[in-house]
Amino acid sequence: MNNHFHIAIDGPVAAGKGTISRIIAERLNFLYIDTGAMYRVAVLLAMKNDVQFDDENALVALLEKSEIKMNNPVGLERDGRLTTVIANNKDVSWKIRTEEVGRGASIVSQITAVRTILVKKQQAITQFQDVVMEGRDITYKVLPNANLKIYLTGKDFIRANRRHLQLQNRGIDVSFNQVYSDLVLRDKMDIERTNDPLKIVDDAWVIDTSDLSIEQVVNLIVFKVNIMQETLLEN
Ligand code: DC
């Protein structure tokens, strides 16, 4: 473990990982890293270059020569996005947020070689800073030595409802039933895939956000981190 404080958060689709991580990062002055965004960037690159989502060699070649950067939004970037994602010097923060790209991400994330490259890129970012990083394999693969490991979850219906509202607010017209069935399918793919599936590790703090407000979840986590940081300082 290095000297930086690392918070690792895993959980299913629309459990609130992004929104909650973003606010925690701001409160604690940590960098927020959305690893799902990297799988989404892989899809965007594939679409742009006419590469099939299951073409391992072509995807790996694309990712190897690509640079993916993330920063907490500043200035004009504060347009409702949770993080700014720059792929090969282009701001793709919004382009990667469609349901189509999300579905593609469930496919490319099944490919071991793609995961290996992206995990390396994720670990590299955490070396020199305090981070709150969220995804599906962060607590046991990307940051197995994280100071704090959290599994954020919630009832299917409530998560689908949140995602549906989020999409509506962005002007994306999609039915609740479609969002619900997409969510259940994507969770199933994440949990059942053979390589680095979504799972709850023994030392994770499991938080069910179904009946909690964002503020309540954020307060719980920030409180815990503050205590952990004080203890670290004392020792
Ligand atoms: O969190 P999200 O919806 O942006 O993630 C997009 C897809 O990427 C999702 O189906 C799961 C996958 N993913 C993954 O396999 N590992 C991660 N660390 C993050 C996301």
Side-chain angles (χ1 to χ4, degrees):
M1 202 190 303
N2 61 31
N3 286 329
H4 297 285
F5 200 100
H6 291 161
I7 306 173
I9 303 183
D10 284 328
V13 175
K17 300 188 299 291
T19 309
I20 287 160
S21 299
R22 174 83 199 93
I23 305 174
I24 292 171
E26 202 143 85
R27 290 247 196 113
L28 295 170
N29 201 19
F30 283 22
L31 175 67
Y32 161 49
I33 304 158
D34 168 8
T35 58
M38 293 193 172
Y39 292 91
R40 287 169 180 265
V41 166
V43 172
L44 208 64
L45 292 172
M47 285 161 76
K48 219 176 131 222
N49 292 277
D50 282 328
V51 164
Q52 298 295 312
F53 297 161
D54 57 355
D55 185 341
E56 174 168 340
N57 291 338
L59 279 171
V60 166
L62 268 178
L63 286 172
E64 265 171 354
K65 61 177 188 201
S66 299
E67 191 184 45
I68 308 172
K69 289 196 236 162
M70 283 187 211
N71 61 266
N72 294 347
V74 287
L76 288 178
E77 294 169 5
R78 290 176 167 270
D79 57 3
R81 68 183 66 180
L82 295 177
T83 179
T84 291
V85 183
I86 309 286
N88 298 328
N89 297 318
K90 283 212 182 72
D91 187 335
V92 296
S93 311
W94 285 114
K95 273 204 182 125
I96 57 170
R97 294 296 159 200
T98 65
E99 287 298 276
E100 185 192 4
V101 172
R103 275 193 292 272
S106 304
I107 300 170
V108 302
S109 61
Q110 312 269 336
I111 304 173
T112 305
V114 167
R115 303 198 67 84
T116 305
I117 292 184
L118 293 184
V119 167
K120 263 198 208 128
K121 287 184 192 279
Q122 291 153 15
Q123 287 171 331
I125 302 175
T126 67
Q127 279 201 313
F128 306 106
Q129 50 209 332
D130 296 332
V131 300
V132 48
M133 181 180 266
E134 51 101 349
R136 306 294 191 286
D137 56 349
I138 314 304
T139 54
Y140 68 97
K141 178 85 179 195
V142 185
L143 297 176
N145 297 317
N147 302 76
L148 179 61
K149 299 181 182 181
I150 297 170
Y151 187 89
L152 219 54
T153 186
K155 294 190 183 82
D156 292 357
F157 180 82
I158 292 179
R159 291 187 291 114
N161 213 12
R162 285 181 191 153
R163 176 52 51 95
H164 188 224
L165 274 175
Q166 235 175 32
L167 292 170
Q168 279 184 327
N169 286 339
R170 272 192 239 143
I172 298 168
D173 184 25
V174 52
S175 71
F176 174 80
N177 285 349
Q178 177 71 51
V179 173
Y180 183 85
S181 52
D182 267 6
L183 177 136
V184 171
L185 178 69
R186 282 172 56 195
D187 283 349
K188 188 172 149 63
M189 287 173 80
D190 288 339
I191 290 165
E192 291 182 356
R193 69 166 173 249
T194 44
N195 46 0
D196 305 334
L198 172 65
K199 64 181 177 191
I200 307 177
V201 293
D202 286 345
D203 51 348
W205 176 22
V206 180
I207 306 177
D208 186 321
T209 65
S210 303
D211 302 316
L212 296 174
S213 68
I214 289 167
E215 195 56 23
Q216 284 173 319
V217 180
V218 167
N219 285 342
L220 272 174
I221 298 172
V222 169
F223 185 71
K224 177 139 184 142
V225 173
N226 284 337
I227 290 176
M228 289 178 77
Q229 284 182 317
E230 275 167 30
T231 315
L232 280 175
L233 278 178
E234 280 164 14
N235 293 326

